[in-house]
Amino acid sequence: MKPAVIVENLGKRYSRYHRDRPRTIMEAALAGFRKMGVEESFWALREVTFNVMPGQMVGVVGHNGAGKSTLLQILSGIVGPDEGNVEIIGRMGALLDLGAGFHPDLTGRENAHISAVVGGLTRKEAERRFDSIVEFAEIGAFIDNPLRTYSAGMQMRLGFAVAIHTTPDVLFVDEYLSVGDLAFQNKCLDRILDLKNNGCAIVLISHNAEQVQELCDQAIWLEQGRLKAYGDPEVVAGRYAGKMEAISGQPKTRTYSQQVEIRQVEFGQSEGQLEINSGDPLSIDITYDAHQGFDRITIGLSISDIDGQIYFNTNSGTVGLDIPAPMGLGKVNLRIDRLDLPGGDYFVNVGLYAPDWSETYDYHWNEHPFSISWTPEEQSLLNPPKQWQIISLSTPAIETTSTQS
Amino acid sequence: MYIHQKATKPFSRRQITYYRDLLWELVSREMKLLYKRSLLGVFWTLLNPLLQLLVFSTVFRLVLKTGQSIPNYLAYAFSGLLIWGWTQTSLFQATGLITGNRPLIRQPSFPTAILPIVTVTTGMIHFLLAFPALLIIMVIDKVQIGWPIVFLPLLWVLQFIFTLSFAYPLAALNVTFRDTQHTLGVILQLMFYMLPIFYAVGDGTIPPALAQLYHWNPLVVLLDAYRYVLIGGDRPSLIAMFGLSAVCLAILPIGYQIFKRQGAKFVEEV
């Protein structure tokens, strides 16, 4: 089967014009047609490559300005790419700016007809599907009233109903789930999934990582116009969600009860940020302050990078350690004998929990940084102790070993 | 490179039906809006040139004393008003097309190039709706309507292409410069006085040296051809017809190309 959407090494460059670029003929003439040129340009999208098969839904996540909307505009053929190729096979439809093309003075019926034809149906096809559109939009007898008498919700519903009835082969969706009430949203979702099951390829733009994980077959994470990650939605959207937490910066502590509070997390070193070598031990002292007394608490600890990828995760519960927390201060040490991670910047994250995980007392996320230095030029996620050895050579053997710890 | 393989072939019957339907829907939208916004609706499109005729023929004939030598003056002036009116309103409206139809342009695979065609077509419908009024005035003015009237459709086609050729670049220009419409309004007004609508080129209103230049203006040639056919009862000169056709065929691709080249920027700038 051939993909319905093929995007290959796509790049889009936008021009930034002079700040005082003339906006009118009069100004341009006065300026002697100077300042009309491009001052600088930047890549809104670069080196983006992916495919969508018929019947597949691809979710695109990324924060504002990452290039999501630009991608959608290029896919729809509204703006042309500056680099690479885009190929779309079949009729396109879009769920964006729902009802924006409606005219307030025309009736719902007239607007729906125009909209359906603009959306790619012939008049005959539009006529045939009209009853179904009205029924779906739950407009009923209002269909012959001018659109200006409609509520915003009714306009959106009608817009959605028309768009979804054009039965496209390729559908672009931009944050559609803001249409109407929950019941209508579910109806829309069902209809979208219907299309998907009938072989429609869907590109969904979303801020909502959970939605992407739930609905999509593939996920794309765009960051500053580049493909940050592409693949399984669980992983991609999950990492994206993790990063969003890191960026929003505010540690989760605020929302926790703080019945037991993390007072200090130390690496047993007096000042400056800790830097260790790959394979060195890491010792972490955790000081907590119980404002209420508990028989036992569980301490969780993880090591993650700036993207929110967790490399290591452990808790005191797995080894059956009982940590009592009577009122007042307590101090616990965790010693990791070897930390065989590659070089980079990491965070130690610490959480205090009830032993049955029913409650989180306190949690520090991305608050305790340290770094690992590592010299070899190797792309690796793990750096265990290793040893190369030459077992035999055809020439008289010379004992050669090279060791690295 | 952007490739869109439609489910149907480019010139299949469905695709042609689709473009026809799209044109129909968009033109009828314009017409419906006109009907709904004013009580008199399309009647205005008739009343307006009639009132203009009253004003200008008074000014030109009685005050400025021009056009005294023109036979069938009423029919002459009214036909000029209607013909120029079609081109004028179409061009004026074309400038606001891209900036005013953002939701349509953002629709995937919407053929933006159809918008100027819609505007010129709407203008043509108004022109044709007013045509019976012209015929009535011609009868009142005792004009002999002869067989050359069969050339009318050809002239309509030529004027359509000519107007469209300018509608394309103007629509694109307004995206970069938002005052195109204001500037154009002034230029169109100037054109109105520079065209032999209420006077004739050869009647001494304009100096003979300038009259030579007048005949290089395709619109003057077009107006002449219309009046030959309608009032003169004669077929238009073949040279004029060939010349006009050649001009139309030459400028349409140029106008369209300007529009297409700007096209990619529409969404970025609108």
Side-chain angles (χ1 to χ4, degrees), chain A residues 131-201:
Chain A
D131 291 340
S132 165
I133 290 175
V134 178
E135 196 194 308
F136 188 90
E138 300 166 12
I139 298 283
F142 289 104
I143 193 70
D144 285 312
N145 290 7
L147 207 82
R148 65 183 126 79
T149 64
Y150 285 29
S151 69
M154 284 163 84
Q155 294 190 21
M156 292 275 265
R157 291 209 303 268
L158 187 60
F160 186 94
V162 173
I164 209 75
H165 277 83
T166 56
T167 52
D169 302 310
V170 180
L171 181 69
F172 305 121
V173 187
D174 196 355
E175 305 273 4
Y176 70 97
L177 280 182
S178 48
V179 186
D181 54 18
L182 207 61
F184 190 74
Q185 286 178 10
N186 285 332
K187 204 163 103 174
C188 296
L189 189 59
D190 284 348
R191 195 59 205 243
I192 290 175
L193 293 177
D194 268 359
L195 279 176
K196 174 166 143 45
N197 292 335
N198 286 324
C200 176

Side-chain angles (χ1 to χ4, degrees), chain A residues 1-271:
Chain A
M1 196 161 44
K2 214 184 163 196
V5 178
I6 304 170
V7 176
E8 204 176 42
N9 194 29
L10 174 70
K12 176 71 194 171
R13 191 169 44 199
Y14 277 129
S15 307
R16 235 192 292 265
Y17 292 99
H18 202 284
R19 199 160 44 86
D20 314 319
R21 181 180 193 239
R23 296 294 301 172
T24 63
I25 297 177
M26 202 62 94
E27 285 170 27
L30 287 175
F33 289 93
R34 277 172 287 133
K35 297 179 182 169
M36 286 299 289
V38 173
E39 188 155 69
E40 56 175 332
S41 57
F42 64 98
W43 290 94
L45 279 179
R46 194 106 200 248
E47 290 160 5
V48 174
T49 301
F50 66 93
N51 277 355
V52 191
M53 300 298 282
Q56 241 185 13
M57 192 186 303
V58 170
V60 181
V61 292
H63 52 259
N64 288 336
K68 300 193 301 284
S69 307
T70 307
L71 179 66
L72 211 59
Q73 285 176 350
I74 294 176
L75 291 180
S76 336
I78 301 169
V79 295
D82 292 315
E83 210 178 65
N85 295 313
V86 176
E87 198 173 339
I88 311 271
I89 293 150
R91 198 164 72 213
M92 291 187 281
L95 295 178
L96 37 99
D97 302 347
L98 287 175
F102 288 161
H103 200 289
D105 287 344
L106 298 177
T107 66
R109 179 186 301 275
E110 289 164 338
N111 272 308
H113 265 291
I114 296 166
S115 207
V117 173
V118 166
L121 296 183
T122 64
R123 294 179 64 215
K124 217 183 241 167
E125 289 165 342
E127 190 52 54
R128 232 180 287 133
R129 294 173 202 193
F130 195 75
D131 291 340
S132 165
I133 290 175
V134 178
E135 196 194 308
F136 188 90
E138 300 166 12
I139 298 283
F142 289 104
I143 193 70
D144 285 312
N145 290 7
L147 207 82
R148 65 183 126 79
T149 64
Y150 285 29
S151 69
M154 284 163 84
Q155 294 190 21
M156 292 275 265
R157 291 209 303 268
L158 187 60
F160 186 94
V162 173
I164 209 75
H165 277 83
T166 56
T167 52
D169 302 310
V170 180
L171 181 69
F172 305 121
V173 187
D174 196 355
E175 305 273 4
Y176 70 97
L177 280 182
S178 48
V179 186
D181 54 18
L182 207 61
F184 190 74
Q185 286 178 10
N186 285 332
K187 204 163 103 174
C188 296
L189 189 59
D190 284 348
R191 195 59 205 243
I192 290 175
L193 293 177
D194 268 359
L195 279 176
K196 174 166 143 45
N197 292 335
N198 286 324
C200 176
I202 303 174
V203 178
L204 167 76
I205 295 238
S206 185
H207 283 296
N208 187 342
E210 252 172 63
Q211 196 182 56
V212 170
Q213 283 175 325
E214 198 179 318
L215 298 173
C216 297
D217 305 300
Q218 300 184 77
I220 290 168
W221 176 7
L222 285 180
E223 193 172 84
Q224 292 176 345
R226 312 271 171 147
L227 214 59
K228 174 92 178 176
Y230 171 40
D232 183 67
E234 286 292 331
V235 178
V236 175
R239 279 184 62 196
Y240 167 72
K243 167 137 194 206
M244 287 317 284
E245 276 161 20
I247 283 178
S248 59
Q250 286 310 318
K252 295 173 173 182
T253 48
R254 293 274 156 78
T255 56
Y256 297 107
S257 68
Q258 308 242 2
Q259 287 154 312
V260 186
E261 184 191 342
I262 300 169
R263 265 299 175 80
Q264 237 171 359
V265 176
E266 295 162 296
F267 300 112
Q269 172 202 330
S270 48
E271 53 190 70

Side-chain angles (χ1 to χ4, degrees), chain B residues 140-200:
Chain B
I140 294 172
D141 216 7
K142 298 191 183 66
V143 175
Q144 292 287 321
I145 300 168
W147 67 268
I149 209 156
V150 297
F151 279 98
L152 264 184
L154 174 68
L155 293 176
W156 291 337
V157 171
L158 286 178
Q159 190 181 354
F160 189 96
I161 297 173
F162 185 84
T163 309
L164 187 61
S165 311
F166 285 95
Y168 273 123
L170 284 172
L173 191 65
N174 196 44
V175 176
T176 320
F177 298 117
R178 292 301 158 89
D179 65 343
T180 303
Q181 203 159 34
H182 306 297
T183 314
L184 184 76
V186 179
I187 293 173
L188 288 174
Q189 202 170 22
L190 181 69
M191 283 300 293
F192 174 82
Y193 288 105
M194 281 174 62
L195 288 173
I197 293 172
F198 286 98
Y199 57 89

Side-chain angles (χ1 to χ4, degrees), chain A residues 358-399:
Chain A
S358 62
E359 225 177 311
T360 303
Y361 301 126
D362 200 355
Y363 187 51
H364 282 188
W365 170 258
N366 282 12
E367 274 189 48
H368 309 291
F370 71 101
S371 56
I372 297 177
S373 58
W374 190 34
T375 35
E377 289 282 318
E378 288 171 2
Q379 290 287 321
S380 174
L381 284 184
L382 192 63
N383 183 32
K386 54 190 174 285
Q387 195 172 62
W388 289 94
Q389 196 165 22
I390 298 168
I391 304 300
S392 72
L393 291 168
S394 53
T395 48
I398 305 156
E399 185 76 12

Side-chain angles (χ1 to χ4, degrees), chain A residues 25 75 78 84 90 97 117, chain B residues 1-2 4 14 18 106 179 267:
Chain A
I25 297 177
L75 291 180
I78 301 169
D97 302 347
V117 173
Chain B
M1 195 176 36
Y2 183 84
H4 177 215
R14 187 191 181 276
Y18 175 68
R106 283 168 57 89
D179 65 343
V267 174

